[in-house]
Amino acid sequence: MSEMAPARTYSQIVGSQFRKNKLAVISLHIIYILLFVFIFADFLANDKPIVMRYQGSTYFPVFREYGVKWFGLNWQDAFKSQQFKILEDKYEEGDWAIYPVIPYSSTEYNLQVKLQPPSRAHIFGTDELGRDVLSQMIHGARVSLLVGFVAVAIYVFIGVILGALAGFYGGLIDIIIQRMIEIMITFPRMFLIITIVAVMETQSIINIMIILGLTGWTGVARFTRGEFLKVKNEDYVVAAKALGYRDFRTIFRHVLPNTLTPVLVTATFGVAAAILIESGLSFLGFGAPPEQATWGSLLSSARDTLPTGWWLTTFPGLAIFITVTVYNLVGEGLRDALDPRLKQ
Amino acid sequence: MKKSFLIQFSILILLIIFANLGLRSLESYDDDELGNAGGIRIDLTGSETVFESSPKDMSPREGGTLVLAESAEPEHLNTYTSTSAAATRVLDYIYETLLDYDYETWRFDRPLLAESFTISEDGYTFTFKIRENVYWHDGQQLTADDVLFSIKAVLNPFVDCAPMRSSFSKVVSAHTNGQYEFVISSSETYFRNQEILGGFHIIPKHIWDPRGLLDRYSVEDLLNSTVTREEAAIKEFADAFNTHPQGRPVGEDAEPIIGSGPWVFDKWITGDYISYARNDNYWNDDPTYIEGYSEDGAYLDKVIVKVITDATARLTALKAGEIDFIPRMRAVQYFTQTNTPDFLEKFQKVSYVVPAYSYIGWNNDKPYFSDKRVRQAMTMLIDRDSYNKYVAYGLGIPTIGPFYIYGEQYNHNIERWPYDPIRAVELIEEAGWIDHDGDGIRDKDGVPFNFTFSVSAGSTSSKYMALMLKEDLRKVGIVVNIRQLEWSVYVENLRDRQFDVVSLLWIGGLESDPYQIWHSDNIGDRGSNYMGFRHAEADSLIETARFEMDKEKRNAMYFRLQEIFHEEQPYTFMFYQRDPGAYLKEFHGVKWIPIRPGYKLYSWWRNTSMAGESS
């Protein structure tokens, strides 16, 4: 590869190929935005101010919330009830607060404004308990993306290892792993997941991620196995064997890096599929616990209010649609960019 | 990627500045009064005992079909072994009882299959004189033998009807005197005896026991465990009874259920519908036959009970004209999705009270809720009025106790606990729940105030309740976990008392006996006192009141009992329910009554001539 254009590395070539696909580039930027929302959700939508001046001192309640959650800090006495909006009545001269763009948390309810259509106060409207839909969507994005990435990471890990073993060794190991794959794919995946979820004691997104991970690895395993079969008789593999490297080193240092790129492409599609399945499960009420806002559960709550509550279906539905689409487009772009036949 | 993030970050900062520049105070819209959303609100208080919601200016005519939608299908239609309300709603039209409610007074003393009845002076023995003109749907005559057989079937210990049998636990003997007299004796003068002994469905002996297996045994034999263990025929009968083809779902060829009522079983297509047709040979076809009987027999040719599990699909079917009547719809449908002039033109909306109340039950044996001050505080932390107004659309009627709100047992002198979070927090602190270790969560004796609210998976209203409570209690340093459970698991946990908090609906009667739920005898061993309510005075009141036949004295005891409930708050009593429904305006004679399910179809008739005018 490097003979053709010594100045360009492999990733540069792939990068320039990828950039030729406008749609994929736009999609990648949308993924960046989603990642941004994922990381800064608490600063985008929260009922706590980011910075506030209260009775002579300055506080950072959103940061404090992280401290309380993860580092065992406590709320200051004045903020024990965490109702910052009520504190406004006690403001003294010179007190102020800077709120996030959407000054509502995903669980904060206000019955008086329930089922409001989009307005200036609630850009995407409110649900049946008067919770802000946009805030729920922002926090729901966290669940969706987290489920997508973690589930795929789990199944890529399992799939790659099993596929590598099957492809590299062949024989009995290959037969066993192949039969395992066949048994797994005979179950319709959604039904298998629903069955497992139904038996679970507690509802949590961690369970969903693990279940999705444990049921999704077959495709990756087959893919890796195929790639291994292709590569395992290459000269460098034979050389590695001749040098007396242990199988572990041969598999993971020499063969795997050369087979991984197509797997990563399928993983991108996998993220989209996992997001869709999570939404489906939440829609059916099997997914995240009720207090956890997710796109799927928002859609589900909208079912009862249709046709009046159109904003409850439209916005989360669009969010799911856009997310799944951009992951697929990026996956396609990546696939094309990595395809050596298209390279000029 | 770095650049992209930087740009996004600056956009975020700009947005924050922009959003805060025009920082608004929370806009609260004036809640427009929902009112009755074009429907009729029926309360049946005071002297009003039956309400007719359709025009009364026309005389009824026979004919026509009514299609109504139910949300659940019964698992089978064996009247004794079934526990489903959906089955009862069908079977009440096919089978009859010895006595029934009087439609004027709502006392359970109107003779139906019995022509008359007498109670012995000591109150132990009931003698029913059976009518001589009653025939089963297959033409055979109904006699006292059928009545005796029915009670034998219930008392047979191998028949799967334990919940029903427990009401008959005080029966000591029963026999017939000739063909038309039935005598039954109880060992106690329980105030609900008349309702129980006269209120069970009579089933035909020749259908259910064609071989006469139970003929050889008396009621005393069936109550004697030595006899029932030794005699194989008793078990054999029960096995045949439990699996009898009568009322089993078998599609088109279902064996017709033979009863004596004004409707004849027609078909049961599993997963689709159950239908019943008018009994043209009904024994009681003379409307003036019994005094005080306000019904005129049945008019409709046929009633089809369609099973549509999804609420949205039910409403769609109504609007599309596939069904004529939804007895129970969602509040949100009643108030926001059926307000178009078209709908109101075509359908009549009604909300009617049924003797069922919702509550939040605190497991009194858990450390969190063992102190009554905490339970009182919990009640005061729940903004019941807002919940009723916004989530239940005002359909609830606030209640302070378990007795029927419009009944004679209800104590109207008790003031509800107010919504008062400040007082509630004081009470919680008084009870010793203070944040000792400074982690933001209240604790006592090292136990953090962290409990689980169990929610049945299908119930949106209790899910909303749990979500609101979680958010509210978080602010006072109490952690609520919400757990959604499948209904069967939910009930199992309830019986095993494996829960902290539950939210449920209790379906009662016009007059009820608190023994089953509130007496400490019924804690554990799968008894119905699931909350573990123990109170010496309450126990003795409940015991004495059961056998007090003087209504005034008995109700005085129940009034005191409600004061105890109010003080102890074993439940947070929420609301008596109004069920919202809608029916096609073509139907007349639509009457609403205070007993379950809130309506009886006997008097309904269809004015088919209206169909042309309204379209």
Side-chain angles (χ1 to χ4, degrees):
Chain A
M1 282 176 236
S2 52
E3 290 162 353
M4 283 165 55
R8 297 170 76 200
T9 65
Y10 178 63
S11 53
Q12 280 172 330
I13 297 169
V14 173
S16 72
Q17 284 291 331
F18 185 82
R19 269 190 289 278
K20 284 181 190 164
N21 186 341
K22 278 272 159 342
L23 217 50
V25 174
I26 296 170
S27 301
L28 192 64
H29 279 91
I30 296 177
I31 292 183
Y32 287 160
I33 295 175
L34 286 170
L35 274 177
F36 186 83
V37 170
F38 176 81
I39 296 168
F40 294 105
D42 291 327
F43 296 87
L44 285 165
N46 209 324
D47 58 350
K48 301 174 183 66
I50 300 173
V51 196
M52 74 184 297
R53 183 89 185 163
Y54 182 65
Q55 296 183 347
S57 347
T58 310
Y59 301 97
F60 298 90
V62 178
F63 291 95
R64 190 72 176 193
E65 193 180 18
Y66 285 111
V68 171
K69 233 188 266 174
W70 294 332
F71 304 112
L73 292 178
N74 290 321
W75 284 104
Q76 293 90 340
D77 282 337
F79 304 145
K80 270 268 187 278
S81 71
Q82 301 165 47
Q83 286 170 291
F84 292 91
K85 284 169 193 162
I86 287 174
L87 286 182
E88 280 173 21
D89 300 339
K90 295 193 198 161
Y91 277 7
E92 290 170 2
E93 188 64 32
D95 282 353
W96 45 263
I98 293 178
Y99 278 95
V101 188
I102 296 115
Y104 309 103
S105 78
S106 63
T107 53
E108 178 194 5
Y109 74 91
N110 180 357
L111 294 173
Q112 278 157 28
V113 295
K114 72 167 198 163
L115 286 176
Q116 293 290 334
S119 64
R120 210 166 55 85
H122 297 276
I123 299 163
F124 282 0
T126 57
D127 72 359
E128 280 203 293
L129 291 179
R131 292 174 295 182
D132 186 72
V133 171
L134 183 53
S135 172
Q136 291 192 65
M137 279 175 61
I138 287 173
H139 289 272
R142 277 200 160 167
V143 178
S144 293
L145 297 191
L146 200 67
V147 167
F149 280 112
V150 176
V152 168
I154 293 172
Y155 80 61
V156 164
F157 182 76
I158 300 173
V160 161
I161 289 179
L162 288 179
L165 293 176
F168 189 79
Y169 290 108
L172 187 65
I173 294 179
D174 189 21
I175 289 171
I176 293 172
I177 290 174
Q178 284 223 66
R179 294 300 87 79
M180 278 166 63
I181 294 171
E182 277 159 21
I183 290 170
M184 282 301 288
I185 58 174
T186 40
F187 295 108
R189 193 170 172 204
M190 194 69 182
F191 285 104
L192 183 64
I193 293 168
I194 290 176
T195 315
I196 301 173
V197 171
V199 190
M200 286 283 184
E201 272 282 289
T202 50
Q203 277 185 311
S204 78
I205 44 169
I206 297 172
N207 286 344
I208 300 288
M209 293 190 280
I210 294 172
I211 295 165
L212 285 178
L214 292 180
T215 52
W217 54 270
T218 50
V220 175
R222 286 183 147 184
F223 222 123
T224 316
R225 176 180 168 274
E227 291 292 318
F228 261 73
L229 289 178
K230 240 190 320 191
V231 188
K232 83 171 174 188
N233 293 323
E234 295 271 330
D235 290 344
Y236 67 91
V237 183
V238 179
K241 278 182 182 164
L243 282 167
Y245 288 160
R246 276 177 294 123
D247 287 351
F248 184 84
R249 181 170 174 176
T250 320
I251 294 173
F252 292 103
R253 291 291 302 277
H254 299 275
V255 187
L256 195 59
N258 289 301
T259 60
L260 215 51
T261 32
V263 169
L264 290 181
V265 175
T266 55
T268 325
F269 294 116
V271 173
I275 290 173
L276 206 56
I277 292 182
E278 187 279 322
S279 305
L281 285 175
S282 294
F283 180 74
L284 295 173
F286 291 111
E291 69 269 26
Q292 181 85 55
T294 71
W295 295 344
S297 57
L298 268 174
L299 274 182
S300 162
S301 72
R303 234 162 48 105
D304 293 340
T305 55
L306 277 175
T308 36
W310 58 270
W311 57 94
L312 282 170
T313 39
T314 312
F315 298 119
L318 268 178
I320 295 171
F321 168 71
I322 290 173
T323 312
V324 171
T325 310
V326 296
Y327 273 101
N328 279 316
L329 287 175
V330 168
E332 255 172 46
L334 212 57
R335 188 186 60 204
D336 293 346
L338 290 167
D339 192 337
R341 275 165 300 181
L342 292 175
K343 197 161 31 183
Q344 273 138 30
Chain B
M1 188 160 168
K2 262 186 214 155
K3 207 171 68 185
S4 171
F5 257 81
L6 209 66
I7 294 169
Q8 288 178 31
F9 201 77
S10 6
I11 293 174
L12 173 65
I13 299 286
L14 278 173
L15 274 173
I16 289 177
I17 294 168
F18 180 74
N20 280 277
L21 279 179
L23 196 67
R24 75 245 81 161
S25 57
L26 261 171
E27 268 178 65
S28 145
Y29 297 80
D30 263 340
D31 33 81
D32 45 294
E33 196 48 59
L34 281 159
N36 298 327
I40 301 175
R41 177 175 289 219
I42 298 164
D43 272 328
L44 297 181
T45 51
S47 59
E48 193 172 33
T49 54
V50 178
F51 183 89
E52 186 165 353
S53 61
S54 52
K56 292 169 205 148
D57 49 357
M58 274 181 274
S59 56
R61 64 185 85 159
E62 291 192 350
T65 303
L66 168 73
V67 187
L68 67 93
E70 291 271 4
S71 58
E73 186 171 32
E75 65 276 31
H76 58 75
L77 290 173
N78 183 327
T79 174
Y80 293 163
T81 62
S82 167
T83 52
S84 99
T88 315
R89 284 198 284 268
V90 171
L91 292 169
D92 274 347
Y93 294 120
I94 294 168
Y95 291 121
E96 288 177 301
T97 50
L98 293 172
L99 307 178
D100 204 343
Y101 283 102
D102 185 298
Y103 281 50
E104 298 289 322
T105 60
W106 293 109
R107 280 170 221 264
F108 201 82
D109 60 2
R110 175 167 63 88
L112 185 61
L113 288 177
E115 195 171 63
S116 61
F117 69 102
T118 51
I119 308 170
S120 66
E121 240 161 68
D122 56 12
Y124 293 122
T125 305
F126 284 71
T127 308
F128 296 94
K129 172 92 179 63
I130 312 295
R131 284 178 201 285
E132 296 179 20
N133 63 336
V134 184
Y135 292 88
W136 295 107
H137 293 157
D138 61 358
Q140 297 234 25
Q141 197 180 4
L142 186 149
T143 65
D145 280 339
D146 291 305
V147 183
L148 181 64
F149 162 75
S150 299
I151 192 73
K152 278 185 191 170
V154 174
L155 293 174
N156 185 324
F158 302 107
V159 169
D160 283 338
C161 64
M164 182 181 175
R165 193 158 45 236
S166 67
S167 317
F168 292 85
S169 61
K170 298 290 184 272
V171 169
V172 284
S173 73
H175 60 90
T176 56
N177 262 342
Q179 254 196 306
Y180 304 111
E181 198 171 289
F182 172 69
V183 183
I184 186 162
S185 300
S186 162
S187 62
E188 274 166 353
T189 55
Y190 179 33
F191 80 98
R192 292 188 65 232
N193 262 351
Q194 191 165 317
E195 211 175 320
I196 291 166
L197 301 179
F200 62 98
H201 284 157
I202 307 300
I203 59 174
K205 174 168 171 279
H206 65 278
I207 300 281
W208 291 85
D209 191 13
R211 287 189 288 156
L213 288 171
L214 284 188
D215 285 356
R216 284 189 285 131
Y217 307 103
S218 65
V219 165
E220 288 88 338
D221 288 338
L222 289 164
L223 293 169
N224 183 336
S225 55
T226 355
V227 178
T228 52
R229 223 174 319 145
E230 279 166 12
E231 296 290 327
I234 293 174
K235 178 91 170 50
E236 194 188 333
F237 165 79
D239 290 342
F241 187 91
N242 291 336
T243 56
H244 199 284
Q246 282 267 306
R248 294 283 151 189
V250 279
E252 300 249 11
D253 306 321
E255 188 177 315
I257 299 168
I258 303 296
S260 60
W263 303 89
V264 182
F265 175 84
D266 180 39
K267 266 184 200 153
W268 179 4
I269 311 294
T270 323
D272 192 2
Y273 68 87
I274 297 172
S275 63
Y276 38 94
R278 188 180 58 236
N279 179 3
D280 286 323
N281 301 318
Y282 186 45
W283 60 271
N284 187 12
D285 57 356
D286 179 359
T288 56
Y289 197 74
I290 318 158
E291 222 174 317
Y293 185 76
S294 59
E295 305 292 1
D296 308 277
Y299 298 109
L300 294 165
D301 280 345
K302 199 169 178 179
V303 176
I304 297 173
V305 182
K306 260 195 167 298
V307 182
I308 306 176
T309 42
D310 185 80
T312 312
R314 276 201 296 281
L315 184 57
T316 313
L318 183 76
K319 285 178 175 171
E322 288 162 34
I323 56 175
D324 308 317
F325 174 37
I326 304 182
R328 281 161 295 278
M329 52 167 63
R330 281 179 192 253
V332 63
Q333 295 179 325
Y334 188 84
F335 286 100
T336 67
Q337 296 165 20
T338 51
N339 286 340
T340 56
D342 280 357
F343 189 93
L344 294 173
E345 165 93 10
K346 213 172 157 196
F347 300 99
Q348 178 62 54
K349 294 202 286 183
V350 171
S351 64
Y352 52 100
V353 185
V354 282
Y357 66 92
S358 54
Y359 64 88
I360 296 173
W362 317 99
N363 189 336
N364 290 200
D365 286 343
K366 295 282 173 176
Y368 327 109
F369 307 119
S370 55
D371 191 319
K372 77 173 178 193
R373 283 172 295 188
V374 178
R375 301 194 297 264
Q376 289 169 358
M378 287 295 152
T379 301
M380 283 194 270
L381 276 166
I382 299 170
D383 187 355
R384 286 146 288 156
D385 288 333
S386 292
Y387 177 86
N388 187 22
K389 185 171 179 185
Y390 296 107
V391 180
Y393 291 84
L395 279 178
I397 307 165
T399 178
I400 51 95
F403 296 105
Y404 181 50
I405 189 124
Y406 297 140
E408 291 170 337
Q409 292 174 310
Y410 189 90
N411 186 345
H412 288 275
N413 303 326
I414 297 172
E415 189 90 8
R416 270 194 314 149
W417 290 102
Y419 169 60
D420 189 350
I422 294 163
R423 173 87 189 104
V425 170
E426 285 168 17
L427 277 174
I428 290 172
E429 283 180 352
E430 250 175 59
W433 292 94
I434 297 160
D435 187 7
H436 294 97
D437 53 6
D439 63 350
I441 300 164
R442 289 175 191 279
D443 54 86
K444 185 183 174 184
D445 308 329
V447 183
F449 208 140
N450 178 337
F451 65 86
T452 303
F453 194 128
S454 300
V455 174
S456 154
S459 167
T460 345
S461 55
S462 47
K463 186 174 91 183
Y464 288 151
M465 188 72 244
L467 286 169
M468 289 162 62
L469 197 62
K470 182 184 173 79
E471 182 72 6
D472 288 344
L473 293 193
R474 185 177 63 86
K475 292 171 186 162
V476 297
I478 297 170
V479 180
V480 183
N481 307 294
I482 304 174
R483 201 165 161 207
Q484 274 185 313
L485 295 165
E486 214 38 62
W487 178 243
S488 54
V489 184
Y490 194 84
V491 173
E492 200 64 16
N493 285 356
L494 189 69
R495 288 189 180 141
D496 295 338
R497 308 191 59 224
Q498 296 296 315
F499 64 90
D500 298 335
V501 180
V502 288
S503 163
L504 280 168
L505 187 73
W506 179 261
I507 302 170
L510 296 181
E511 196 174 28
S512 60
D513 177 10
Y515 176 77
Q516 191 191 353
I517 308 175
W518 303 102
H519 197 280
S520 60
D521 280 359
N522 292 318
I523 302 175
D525 197 24
R526 319 210 99 201
S528 297
N529 187 343
Y530 304 123
M531 302 305 137
F533 175 68
R534 285 179 194 82
H535 195 280
E537 193 193 343
D539 276 0
S540 75
L541 278 172
I542 292 170
E543 282 164 31
T544 343
R546 293 190 87 192
F547 306 113
E548 175 57 61
M549 298 303 284
D550 183 333
K551 198 171 211 165
E552 298 281 311
K553 285 187 192 160
R554 189 170 66 232
N555 286 347
M557 289 184 225
Y558 287 144
F559 273 37
R560 170 73 194 123
L561 188 64
Q562 285 167 84
E563 285 168 16
I564 297 172
F565 290 157
H566 178 68
E567 179 64 21
E568 292 286 327
Q569 288 293 301
Y571 288 175
T572 291
F573 294 97
M574 299 288 284
F575 312 106
Y576 261 90
Q577 300 288 307
R578 264 194 206 97
D579 277 344
Y583 64 89
L584 197 63
K585 277 190 175 162
E586 270 174 41
F587 289 93
H588 290 240
V590 179
K591 289 179 184 170
W592 304 90
I593 54 176
I595 57 164
R596 277 181 292 148
Y599 52 89
K600 282 257 185 268
L601 298 175
Y602 303 119
S603 55
W604 290 44
W605 58 278
R606 187 164 197 162
N607 184 2
T608 34
S609 63
M610 233 181 93
E613 294 161 30
S614 67
S615 57

